[in-house]
């Protein structure tokens, strides 16, 4: 039976589950990079550096696309939940295996 994501009106099939991903954004970086850990206000966050400036949501959109690419999901499966104007954001990501890929990107490969 599909679960209902409380942040949206979209029913999410269990096999596609949704994960909340805390992100620390570094806008205006020389290149796009996804990886590393930051202890942020929303808990352990994945660091995402993007070249886009923090103006008119450009950095947020660049982060959404970089996060989708790094987690192996479509950009449409990544939705901003909290932090539209903050460097500390929370995204909802729909897709199978997202939690495992997130853990590797944020915390490194298992020892």
């Amino acid at each position: 039976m599909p679960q209902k994501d409380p942040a949206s009106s979209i029913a999410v099939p269990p096999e596609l589950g949704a994960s909340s991903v805390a992100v620390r954004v570094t806008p205006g970086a020389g290149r796009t990079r996804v990886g590393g850990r930051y202890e942020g206000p929303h808990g352990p966050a994945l660091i995402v550096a993007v070249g886009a400036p923090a103006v008119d949501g450009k950095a947020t959109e660049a982060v959404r696309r970089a996060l989708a690419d790094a987690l192996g999901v479509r950009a449409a499966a990544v939705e901003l939940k909290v932090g539209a104007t903050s460097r500390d954001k929370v995204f909802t990501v729909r897709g199978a295996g997202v939690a495992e890929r997130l853990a590797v990107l944020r915390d490194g490969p298992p020892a």
Side-chain angles (χ1 to χ4, degrees):
M1 175 149 167
Q3 301 171 347
K4 189 131 181 173
D5 182 357
S8 77
S9 59
I10 299 172
V12 180
E15 66 275 7
L16 294 181
S19 298
S20 288
V21 179
V23 172
R24 175 67 173 195
V25 178
T26 305
R31 64 183 181 139
T32 299
R33 292 183 303 263
V34 178
R37 183 185 183 103
Y38 175 81
E39 293 300 328
H42 306 291
L46 176 64
I47 299 171
V48 180
V50 293
V55 177
D56 298 329
K58 291 178 182 175
T60 299
E61 178 60 18
V63 168
R64 188 178 72 84
R65 292 179 180 277
L67 189 58
D69 188 50
L71 294 175
V73 298
R74 296 179 310 117
V78 180
E79 181 181 341
L80 182 65
K81 189 172 175 182
V82 176
T85 60
S86 173
R87 289 180 61 168
D88 296 301
K89 303 180 183 298
V90 178
F91 287 88
T92 299
V93 181
R94 290 174 183 75
V98 169
E100 294 80 13
R101 288 190 294 275
L102 171 64
V104 170
L105 288 168
R106 186 185 58 210
D107 303 324

